[in-house]
Amino acid sequence: MNPAEAGAAAPGEEADELIRFVRTTLGCGCPDEVVARIVIDCSEDGEPGLDVGGRLLVRVLSTSDPERLIETFADTVERLRAERDRRGFNRLRLVLAPPGSELVGERLGATFAGVAAADDRVHLHVAGADVLPAVLDPTG
């Protein structure tokens, strides 16, 4: 994500693609007026993501270095939960992005269950290359 994209409301076709991603891939049932206000942003550590109407925070985690992601995953979840709370969002959706996201997702399932067990406002998703919007691709 380039700096011009961060903090920008998604235009036209890109907005439609992001709405489909949020609704279909992530299963968000947010009302139309919420998904109509999607802003592209990044975490302080540079994970690309979305602010969906000030209610849903989406962060995309790259699986290009699976061992590092697995090693730091518990800390990453805690850091992004703190961001969710600090910024006043209702929910956090973490998205594992290709390559190899399915295999990494399997390995992280137990870790995620342990870290987020008491927090029903954080969810983990695995996104295949065919569903991740280009603007959210963490590999650039």
Side-chain angles (χ1 to χ4, degrees), residues 23-126:
R23 287 234 163 109
T24 305
T25 304
L26 302 183
C28 177
C30 296
D32 291 343
E33 61 271 11
V34 172
V35 295
R37 295 181 300 138
I38 293 179
V39 176
I40 301 162
D41 71 355
C42 330
S43 72
E44 292 173 356
D45 283 14
E47 292 100 351
L50 302 171
D51 166 344
V52 182
R55 293 189 188 174
L56 172 65
L57 180 63
V58 177
R59 288 291 175 245
V60 179
L61 306 176
S62 173
T63 59
S64 62
D65 184 353
E67 294 308 316
R68 172 137 173 77
L69 177 61
I70 290 165
E71 181 180 295
T72 62
F73 187 66
D75 291 336
T76 299
V77 172
E78 289 302 322
R79 176 176 49 78
L80 294 174
R81 282 174 38 176
E83 178 187 4
R84 174 202 64 195
D85 295 344
R86 184 177 63 256
R87 293 180 61 192
F89 286 90
N90 296 340
R91 300 224 181 278
L92 168 65
R93 294 190 185 252
L94 303 172
V95 181
L96 300 177
S101 54
E102 295 82 10
L103 296 174
V104 175
E106 288 176 18
R107 291 181 65 188
L108 289 176
T111 301
F112 180 75
V115 173
D119 188 343
D120 64 349
R121 298 183 313 129
V122 61
H123 306 276
L124 182 65
H125 300 272
V126 176

